[in-house]
Amino acid sequence: MKVRIKFAKTGAMRFIGHLDVMRFFQKAVRRAGIDVAYSEGFSPHQIMSFAAPLGVGLTSHGEYLDIEVRSHAGAEDMKQKLDRAMVEGMEILSVTALEEGTKNAMASVAAAEYSVRFRQGYAPDPGWADRLLAFYGKPVIMVKKKTKKSEAEMDIKPYIYQLSASGEGDDAVVRMMVNASSSGNIKPGLVMEAFWKAEGKELPEFALEITREDTYTDTGVDGDRHLVPLDAVGTGF
Amino acid sequence: MNKLALKDEILLKVEKPARYIGNEVNAVVKDKGLVDIRIAMCFPDVYEIGMSHLGIQILYDMFNRFEDVWCERVYSPWVDLDKVMREENIPLFALESQEPVKDMDFLAITIQYEMCYTNILQILDLSHIPLKAKDREGQGGGWGYPVVIGGGPCVYNPEPIAEFFDLFYIGEGETRYRELLDLYKECRRSGESRKEFLRKAAKLPGMYVPMFYQVEYKEDGTIEKMEPTEDGIPKTIQKEVEMDISDTYYPKKPVVPFIKVTQDRVVLEIQRGCIRGCRFCQAGQIYRPVRERDVGMLKEYAVEMLKNTGHEEISLSSLSSSDYSKLPELVDFLIGECGERKINISLPSLRIDAFSLDVMGKVQDIKKSSLTFAPEAGSQRLRNVINKGLTEEDILKGAGLAFEGGWTRVKLYFMLGLPTETEEDIKEIGALANKIAAVFYETVPKEKRVNGKVQIVASTSFFIPKPFTPFQWSPMCTKEEFLEKAYMTRSAIKEQLNQKSIKYNWHEADISVLEGVLARGDRRIAGVIESAYRKGCIYDAWSEYFHNDAWMEAFEECGIDIGFYTTRERSAEETLPWDFLDCGVDKEFLKREWEKALEGTVSPNCRARCQGCGANRFGGGVCFEGRSGT
């Protein structure tokens, strides 16, 4: 049976990179005593798929991975066992079963919702929220996107699905829903950089504190986008 | 979670921030208000190396089982963070609490190799602790700084670093720390000074407090005598040994790092010591007598540790695993236990024979693994000198069996510069490698050769005489001699018929020379180490950060002649800097072995026939195996 696990990554764990999070979960699944399925071959590995890698320094309340289990004693039991194998800053939020044939976590990702705050000393100038919304209201938002070989200009407006801004000073916060699929992943920092640039300034390196609020899949049909959290397609067991 | 010691801007800038945040699985966090003693346990190298060390895991577990103690870990900040901490004057902190090392009661440093000595100074300096023990007294009874303790194999000659330490614990940590901590609590309660505590500590078994000893030198630079400066301080210090290693501290829940470390697996120490008595090997002498852990205990711990860590690999640890008497039983158990749970078993330090090949075939992917032989010397004559009981016949037979079993890769380890070595001995390295290749081509028919060829990698290190070995009196080669020997080895290999199947690597010569000085140095070397550190030397064990020029300058400035410590032949009568320590084997035994070495006579191993080394005084282990009433 395929199981989808939702977890939060907060506090000091934001400094653990994606590959190390994968290693952490492989060991956690063993510690928890989950009857996980392994691949065939001489060096078998756990059948495990992570949704979207989270950059070092970011926290998240909506990370996902799928595992394949051979037996279980119910979702609540598995959630408790896994949660006991966590460390501070890693928390299991939900465990759901996936129907046979559901796309794996990585392939399911369509969008991610982020909240962006400002580190102490980096708060934006007063009135920033209205200016950001006006910036977002433009029909085209051109940015330079660096690839390994070159820098390409692209319009990111179609990849930003929602954006709101509020608060002043330490309470300033931006929330945005952006494309996070393998074909058009947009990092929230890129949007903020573009805004700063439109303001005629350079975004300082450590200004932003970014949290991924959740990761979404698209259940819409015929091109209508219908975004739901990745665990909404799972069921209790 | 405690606030991190480093701000985000720093953690996001340095390589692998996970080295500095703590919070790992099984890391111990206590309420600091509820403990009496706080210890920072340090391995003075980068996190990935330090976290791979079993000794720290054992002591960390032991200390944290004491209710009144909180033991935390600290490692050397990598060079990028080192720079930032100096620039911003950030004090070095322990991982668990993220609080400064300077505020702890003890800073305990394990000293596993000589090339970490400048990193010890880095740790003290970044902790804002004065480098020298004598500068740590001062106001408030001298309690402004933690008590700095050294332990580990290098403390069998602590003299080059003596002035940087308040105290050395000589031997195995399981036995005396509780007494030392109780003494500390008592001294603090009764308002005694740091110095008074150290004076009392110096009288506990296994404790060496350098400040209570004075060394006098002869005109020729050798030691006249080393004496305690006060009554009641012991003249010699005997190492501590845990005689019941089946019923003692061992971690059931070792700390599991987030990042990949060198030893990313469960480590099961199956025995201590080695019966073989290779004459160059320090571990083979200082860990005597050989003691085995009970196989029942090992099975129980293996299961528990795998469960508590989630590691996907378990490794047996010992100096010579094949000599563990219950090895087949243990390996069978592990294969049964691990197979179902897809856990790998790694078995280093196995002698290559039918049994080990059978086991390795079961637990490893033959295509990916390689065979390792450590003949250490090319010729039988020289192998007799060093008492390496491995014969050419053993090697060729083992290799033949392995090639039949499908192995195609062989690693060979040799040493250059061994006592009495001649050109002939070196040429034999090439000949031996060639014979192994020939065995492959004779054994494996053409159509069955997986990669077409056998891959033999011969590596040489340079021989460095170590204290408490029969070779402690031996002269060591110069850098030039070492390099000449390496070139000679290279040409000897190039001359072989199968040279295309043999790859040759050699170790850096200048690092070896320095290691030689530090290994057999005396108190006068401390100035050189400090001077090199002031010139920016840290991470000397990492060749990319090793600055030989800076070290040479430091020797020059301190007026220290390297040859005095390396190439000079020591007479058997000379008082050696480490003679005040008693490592459990008698100096007379080492002398006999040195003489036998020069004659090319081998000594049988401990199980075959006791050589009377003196370690039977500890009343157990291999010395009393099979005797009734023990």
Side-chain angles (χ1 to χ4, degrees):
Chain A
M1 185 177 86
K2 248 181 160 183
V3 173
R4 179 156 291 172
I5 300 162
K6 179 178 187 179
F7 65 98
K9 186 182 177 218
T10 57
M13 293 306 292
R14 68 189 181 280
F15 296 106
I16 306 301
H18 182 63
L19 289 176
D20 294 326
V21 169
M22 293 169 74
R23 282 165 25 86
F24 172 82
F25 267 97
Q26 283 159 14
K27 290 181 200 282
V29 162
R30 286 176 185 280
R31 285 195 299 273
I34 307 293
D35 187 15
V36 66
Y38 286 83
S39 66
E40 301 292 319
F42 206 98
S43 21
H45 53 268
Q46 295 174 11
I47 296 173
M48 191 177 265
S49 159
F50 279 78
L54 186 71
V56 173
L58 275 66
T59 53
S60 174
H61 299 123
E63 295 299 292
Y64 295 88
L65 74 147
D66 295 349
I67 58 171
E68 176 93 32
V69 298
R70 299 189 304 177
S71 66
H72 63 82
E76 190 49 38
D77 172 76
M78 195 179 290
K79 179 168 179 279
Q80 278 180 16
K81 280 179 177 159
L82 280 167
D83 217 24
R84 278 199 295 271
M86 293 294 109
V87 292
E88 203 176 329
M90 293 292 248
E91 191 191 344
I92 303 296
L93 300 174
S94 78
V95 173
T96 50
L98 296 178
E99 258 177 65
E100 207 51 51
T102 311
K103 280 196 283 183
N104 73 27
M106 187 185 273
S108 304
V109 176
E113 187 188 11
Y114 294 93
S115 62
V116 180
R117 290 178 177 77
F118 301 86
R119 283 208 171 81
Q120 204 137 40
Y122 295 103
D125 299 336
W128 70 281
D130 291 341
R131 294 201 302 280
L132 176 61
L133 292 175
F135 168 77
Y136 177 57
K138 289 198 244 176
V140 170
I141 300 175
M142 294 305 287
V143 298
K144 278 199 182 102
K145 208 177 175 187
K146 280 177 206 147
T147 64
K148 273 172 199 151
K149 281 178 189 156
S150 60
E151 261 189 7
E153 287 258 330
M154 70 174 285
D155 176 17
I156 56 170
K157 175 78 195 239
Y159 299 97
I160 308 171
Y161 302 146
Q162 257 175 49
L163 188 144
S164 65
S166 64
E168 290 291 347
D170 290 346
D171 297 324
V173 57
V174 183
R175 285 184 85 99
M176 62 176 92
M177 176 81 90
V178 294
N179 188 321
S181 70
S182 53
S183 57
N185 181 32
I186 293 293
K187 289 180 179 163
L190 191 70
V191 179
M192 298 308 289
E193 249 172 65
F195 170 59
W196 247 252
K197 216 166 163 216
E199 296 256 289
K201 288 184 287 192
E202 188 87 19
L203 180 68
E205 199 181 350
F206 297 106
L208 306 179
E209 227 171 49
I210 302 169
T211 300
R212 179 141 74 197
E213 297 295 344
D214 213 335
T215 312
Y216 295 80
T217 189
D218 187 357
T219 57
V221 284
D222 303 331
D224 286 339
R225 200 162 47 228
H226 183 68
L227 297 174
V228 296
L230 239 59
D231 61 343
V233 297
T235 53
F237 63 96
Chain B
M1 177 79 208
N2 288 300
K3 202 171 167 294
L4 295 174
L6 301 171
K7 41 183 192 190
D8 287 16
E9 284 89 332
I10 296 174
L11 285 165
L12 290 172
K13 209 160 54 186
V14 298
E15 217 180 283
K16 304 191 188 175
R19 287 167 172 162
Y20 313 111
I21 61 171
N23 198 38
E24 302 97 325
V25 169
N26 299 332
V28 178
V29 175
K30 293 191 181 185
D31 180 342
K32 65 179 174 181
L34 298 180
V35 297
D36 300 322
I37 299 175
R38 294 185 64 184
I39 302 174
M41 176 67 73
C42 171
F43 191 112
D45 205 319
V46 75
Y47 179 89
E48 294 91 310
I49 303 287
M51 276 299 286
S52 305
H53 182 245
L54 176 64
I56 281 197
Q57 295 263 15
I58 292 175
L59 294 180
Y60 181 82
D61 174 74
M62 176 186 83
F63 284 132
N64 283 319
R65 283 201 220 179
F66 300 152
E67 234 172 76
D68 55 342
V69 177
W70 184 12
C71 177
E72 307 181 49
R73 292 158 300 137
V74 61
Y75 304 101
S76 286
W78 187 240
V79 291
D80 53 356
L81 180 61
D82 176 275
K83 189 163 171 273
V84 175
M85 291 178 84
R86 284 170 204 273
E87 281 165 4
E88 304 194 16
N89 203 33
I90 301 167
L92 185 61
F93 52 92
L95 294 182
E96 283 79 355
S97 66
Q98 299 276 309
E99 291 178 350
V101 170
K102 187 175 169 282
D103 299 341
M104 308 277 158
D105 298 281
F106 290 92
L107 167 58
I109 304 177
T110 183
I111 316 168
Q112 296 290 319
Y113 31 84
E114 293 83 359
M115 300 314 289
C116 77
Y117 288 174
T118 54
N119 277 56
I120 295 173
L121 300 190
Q122 176 213 23
I123 294 283
L124 293 171
D125 209 5
L126 291 180
S127 301
H128 302 169
I129 297 171
L131 300 189
K132 291 187 181 129
K134 68 174 169 60
D135 300 330
R136 291 176 205 143
E137 288 179 40
Q139 288 166 349
W143 294 115
Y145 302 104
V147 174
V148 181
I149 305 186
C154 287
V155 307
Y156 284 92
N157 177 21
E159 292 302 84
I161 46 173
E163 66 180 45
F164 308 125
F165 283 84
D166 297 304
L167 189 150
F168 289 101
Y169 182 120
I170 314 295
E172 296 172 4
E174 288 96 338
T175 57
R176 295 285 174 187
Y177 269 116
R178 189 61 254 184
E179 271 167 78
L180 185 71
L181 298 178
D182 288 338
L183 176 67
Y184 176 81
K185 272 167 69 168
E186 181 52 40
C187 286
R188 292 309 301 267
R189 202 164 22 229
S190 55
E192 288 187 279
S193 69
R194 179 188 190 94
K195 190 152 190 180
E196 190 50 35
F197 162 69
L198 290 172
R199 183 175 285 121
K200 287 184 171 158
K203 293 167 190 170
L204 289 180
M207 306 295 153
Y208 167 47
V209 180
M211 67 170 66
F212 294 120
Y213 295 80
Q214 192 164 359
V215 186
E216 285 170 34
Y217 299 92
K218 293 180 187 169
E219 236 169 76
D220 65 3
T222 60
I223 292 172
E224 170 73 42
K225 59 178 180 176
M226 175 164 174
E227 295 278 351
T229 55
E230 290 180 16
D231 286 345
I233 304 288
K235 203 165 160 16
T236 59
I237 296 144
Q238 184 180 286
K239 76 157 176 200
E240 279 299 306
V241 191
E242 173 58 72
M243 287 310 293
D244 186 354
I245 60 168
S246 298
D247 182 21
T248 184
Y249 304 100
Y250 200 78
K252 282 193 172 162
K253 293 174 131 196
V255 180
V256 184
F258 292 115
I259 54 174
K260 211 164 164 47
V261 300
T262 312
Q263 184 88 263
D264 189 27
R265 50 187 75 87
V266 165
V267 179
L268 202 58
E269 186 196 37
I270 57 175
Q271 60 187 351
R272 273 192 199 157
C274 177
I275 59 171
R276 299 278 149 186
C278 298
R279 290 177 180 134
F280 55 84
C281 177
Q282 188 187 42
Q285 303 294 342
I286 62 178
Y287 298 132
R288 288 181 180 217
V290 171
R291 290 144 290 153
E292 297 194 340
R293 283 196 207 268
D294 173 64
V295 69
M297 176 237 180
L298 294 175
K299 289 177 187 172
E300 182 198 327
Y301 273 76
V303 172
E304 285 276 325
M305 290 169 84
L306 286 167
K307 199 174 83 189
N308 293 332
T309 58
H311 279 312
E312 39 282 294
E313 186 168 340
I314 182 167
S315 173
L316 302 187
S317 163
S318 80
L319 293 166
S320 170
S321 299
S322 296
D323 293 326
Y324 178 62
S325 61
K326 302 275 171 40
L327 188 67
E329 181 184 340
L330 181 61
V331 169
D332 275 349
F333 173 81
L334 290 178
I335 290 174
E337 190 68 23
C338 296
E340 177 67 6
R341 293 192 276 150
K342 320 287 180 198
I343 289 163
N344 298 316
I345 304 170
S346 114
L347 302 163
S349 74
L350 278 188
R351 246 192 336 274
I352 306 298
D353 56 22
F355 167 76
S356 61
L357 288 170
D358 177 52
V359 168
M360 285 175 355
K362 284 183 197 154
V363 304
Q364 292 169 358
D365 185 350
I366 294 172
K367 282 194 277 300
K368 284 185 194 152
S369 67
S370 60
L371 292 178
T372 304
F373 293 99
E376 307 294 359
S379 70
Q380 193 56 48
R381 186 202 73 80
L382 195 51
R383 284 196 292 273
N384 291 348
V385 169
I386 63 176
N387 205 41
K388 184 86 197 184
L390 188 64
T391 64
E392 184 170 302
E393 199 196 336
D394 295 334
I395 297 168
L396 298 181
K397 211 173 138 193
L401 282 171
F403 295 146
E404 278 169 21
W407 274 273
T408 59
R409 289 194 283 186
V410 180
K411 286 191 212 159
L412 298 173
Y413 291 101
F414 298 96
M415 267 186 272
L416 293 174
L418 287 162
T420 78
E421 182 185 62
T422 64
E423 213 177 313
E424 237 1 81
D425 297 313
I426 292 176
K427 287 190 173 156
E428 292 275 331
I429 292 175
L432 181 61
N434 189 58
K435 281 179 201 164
I436 294 170
V439 167
F440 178 82
Y441 296 113
E442 283 158 22
T443 314
V444 186
K446 236 180 192 158
E447 61 279 11
K448 285 194 177 166
R449 291 175 198 165
V450 184
N451 303 314
K453 275 201 309 190
V454 63
Q455 292 172 276
I456 296 175
V457 179
S459 302
T460 60
S461 62
F462 295 118
F463 167 63
I464 301 163
K466 293 281 164 104
F468 292 114
T469 65
F471 290 168
Q472 64 178 356
W473 293 280
S474 170
M476 183 176 152
C477 295
T478 61
K479 178 182 168 178
E480 292 70 27
E481 286 166 339
F482 275 146
L483 290 175
E484 199 183 315
K485 285 168 190 287
Y487 301 145
M488 210 182 279
T489 311
R490 190 176 54 185
S491 346
I493 287 170
K494 282 266 183 290
E495 282 163 21
Q496 303 300 325
L497 191 64
N498 294 306
Q499 53 117 340
K500 282 193 175 154
S501 306
I502 310 166
K503 196 172 170 278
Y504 174 52
N505 300 318
W506 68 90
H507 197 252
E508 273 146 291
D510 40 20
I511 293 190
S512 301
V513 169
L514 179 60
E515 191 183 325
V517 177
L518 300 178
R520 290 192 296 171
D522 52 36
R523 287 188 171 191
R524 292 168 295 190
I525 297 299
V528 181
I529 298 168
E530 187 176 343
S531 166
Y533 171 71
R534 301 275 182 218
K535 291 174 194 299
C537 291
I538 49 168
Y539 286 104
D540 296 307
W542 297 68
S543 52
E544 65 270 41
Y545 294 102
F546 176 65
H547 302 299
N548 197 49
D549 294 351
W551 275 98
M552 291 306 116
E553 259 177 56
F555 277 105
E556 185 93 356
E557 283 168 19
C558 297
I560 298 287
D561 170 24
I562 291 176
F564 179 82
Y565 296 96
T566 53
T567 53
R568 183 172 65 90
E569 173 144 16
R570 289 145 170 90
S571 85
E573 286 69 47
E574 182 175 331
T575 299
L576 302 169
W578 50 92
D579 275 352
F580 71 100
L581 294 178
D582 176 354
C583 83
V585 304
D586 301 329
K587 198 172 181 185
E588 285 311 312
F589 162 74
L590 296 175
K591 272 186 203 167
R592 285 202 303 277
E593 282 292 298
W594 176 223
E595 282 156 16
K596 283 171 86 175
L598 296 175
E599 291 163 9
T601 310
V602 299
S603 291
N605 72 55
C606 294
R607 282 211 176 96
R609 183 149 49 86
C610 172
Q611 299 296 302
C613 71
N616 64 353
R617 83 182 79 161
F618 297 107
V622 70
C623 312
F624 293 86
E625 253 174 30
R627 296 190 192 179
S628 56
T630 58

